[in-house]
Amino acid sequence: MNKLLCECGHENPEGTTLCQKCGSPLSAEEKSKKIADMRYEGTAIRSKTYNKSIIDKIWNFFSSVKVGITLIIINLIAASIGTILPQEFYISVATDAEKEKYYSDVYGWFGEIYYALGLSDLYSSLWFQLLVLMLGVSIIIASIDRGIPLHKSLKNQRVKRHTNFMKRQRIIGEGKPTETPEQTLQLVEQSLKKLNYNVRREDDAILAERGRFSRYGAYVNHVGLIVFLIGVMLHLVPGMYVDESMWLREGETRAVPGMDGYFLKNDKFILETYDNVPQGEQIKQGVNVVAKNFQTDVTLYKQQENSVPGQAENLEEVKQYGIQVNHPLKHEGYAFYQMDFRLNEIKAMVFDLINKETEESLGQLSIDLTNPQEVYTLENGAQVELMGFYPDFSGFKEGVPQTATQTPNNPAFIFKMITPETPEGETSFVAIQQTLEPEGDNIYKMKFSNVETRHMSGLTIRYDRTIPILIVGGIIFMIGVAIGSYWNHRRIWIEQLADGTIRLAAHTNKNWFSMKKDLDALTKHAHLPQYVDQQEIENNEHVETEKDGKTL
């Protein structure tokens, strides 16, 4: 690393613009300025110094404020796109086919594209997480790039400063004190301590400082953001975040997705409505009844130790609970929310095997739609083979029946009917209000008799171990905002020259009005020469020049 030698003899790292010892300007650009750039105390910043290797270029890219702001904007736009349509975890469907159909049915072509591009599950998508990761990397590198040199500079700042440093501060003053020149520094030190400054004295020079910690507000802010982003990204780590949904029919017991070793049974679904007479907005919206309560009475079970995953035998009851809206079942950090319900879902369909001509029945069979059998044997020796079952029949594709979902919304069957008259069997396709006989007219047919129904509950399972991390990140972020917003870093340098002249300089990162109030009090108490604001003078001269130009 090259060194920059100051006229005071101190060696500074390459890239330093103000000498770390005396504050004298080192670069030609810095020397050309009337007021010193005190943003980073003139220290060497890596991104401004090195640009040779690929690591330097990556470092410089992510340390750029423009890149950081651009990444923030891109993240905000991407996150906004995810709010155009509901995300998948807000809709009450379970399978991918159901989700695709939902977006297509509800939002048309826009929903199809939205789902096809993966925007329906945006916040869990890899590309969105990469954007968040890039933003996190940018914040970390930018903080290290600027924060560490700034901290070193503030920690090692000297009391005595070069004349060029003093005269290139925004506020300066020089002259002989009006009274008591022999006690001036004592009066200055006394006054500054009353104003709650930390005062350091070295021979005839004084450095008074207050509110240095405010310079770290932005970096505390960055730490909070990084912690928050880590919490967001931990959603992808198994075991840290669960957001699953499940449909549970009355009487059904199923393994809980995302909660290994636990099963949930739907004991009963309850829907209660108000006995009201529709009126006003209720009539306009076509709402006949208003729900008072929908509730799922459940029993939570746990597997025995050393059980095979998914084994639903010898379950141990954990608790019974009535899940209502806003009253979830909670256990070991998991919460089960009542999100949706479906009434009168088809549980079983009952058919008669009859002779088409005589209407004589050869027997009746009941098909459990959640657990259909392959063969049904009737009392008189006839058999019915279930060759195909399509719970949600959606039509034919190249002559093959299709199902949109596994939910029995529109059941269809392919039966093979074997009777004493037809030992080879007859094939029939049976759907609601539709019967096809692909091998020609059959002698027998399956005649629908009745249906059994039951209710079904839509539950959401949530488990989030990242919430404490997100809260901590948010608190740190707000502390950083408060530090950076409500405090400021003030410094006053005063030195007494050999002839008794007092030289004064001051700087603050913001709130110059309060800075001047302190200087006024100090000037009055210690009888110091009047200070001037160089930037204010420069601005006034600029205004006067503009006026003269207009006049001319």
Side-chain angles (χ1 to χ4, degrees), residues 18 36 80 112 176 295 317 325 472 475 494 531:
L18 295 176
S80 302
E112 288 184 27
K176 293 197 174 182
Q295 169 180 332
E317 181 178 324
V325 176
V472 170
I475 291 173
I494 295 176
Y531 65 86

Side-chain angles (χ1 to χ4, degrees), residues 264-400:
L264 193 69
K265 180 183 179 183
N266 184 343
D267 297 318
K268 187 179 181 181
F269 177 76
I270 301 170
L271 173 63
E272 297 175 314
T273 59
Y274 290 102
D275 185 18
N276 66 321
V277 177
Q279 55 186 341
E281 289 297 322
Q282 195 174 342
I283 296 176
K284 291 180 182 178
Q285 298 177 16
V287 179
N288 295 321
V289 294
V290 176
K292 183 168 61 177
N293 175 40
F294 38 94
Q295 169 180 332
T296 305
D297 292 338
V298 298
T299 303
L300 182 66
Y301 293 98
K302 184 179 181 181
Q303 280 186 316
Q304 299 285 347
E305 291 187 4
N306 302 321
S307 297
V308 177
Q311 183 180 1
E313 298 174 357
N314 301 321
L315 298 174
E316 176 187 348
E317 181 178 324
V318 177
K319 66 170 67 173
Q320 294 182 339
Y321 190 79
I323 302 174
Q324 297 175 303
V325 176
N326 297 327
H327 295 282
L329 163 63
K330 295 183 178 179
H331 181 69
E332 293 185 351
Y334 290 84
F336 296 76
Y337 292 90
Q338 176 74 56
M339 298 297 288
D340 203 352
F341 62 88
R342 291 178 185 170
L343 299 178
N344 303 317
E345 187 204 51
I346 301 174
K347 176 185 178 184
M349 296 183 74
V350 181
F351 292 91
D352 283 295
L353 175 61
I354 65 168
N355 187 301
K356 291 170 62 178
E357 184 176 347
T358 64
E359 294 285 329
E360 179 187 2
S361 175
L362 298 186
Q364 193 174 69
L365 59 94
S366 175
I367 301 176
D368 185 345
L369 300 186
T370 58
N371 186 27
Q373 302 176 28
E374 293 183 357
V375 179
Y376 295 87
T377 302
L378 306 184
E379 293 179 356
N380 57 5
Q383 284 188 340
V384 176
E385 294 181 11
L386 185 58
M387 300 177 65
F389 171 46
Y390 308 94
D392 194 5
F393 176 62
S394 58
F396 292 92
K397 185 176 182 181
E398 298 178 354
V400 178

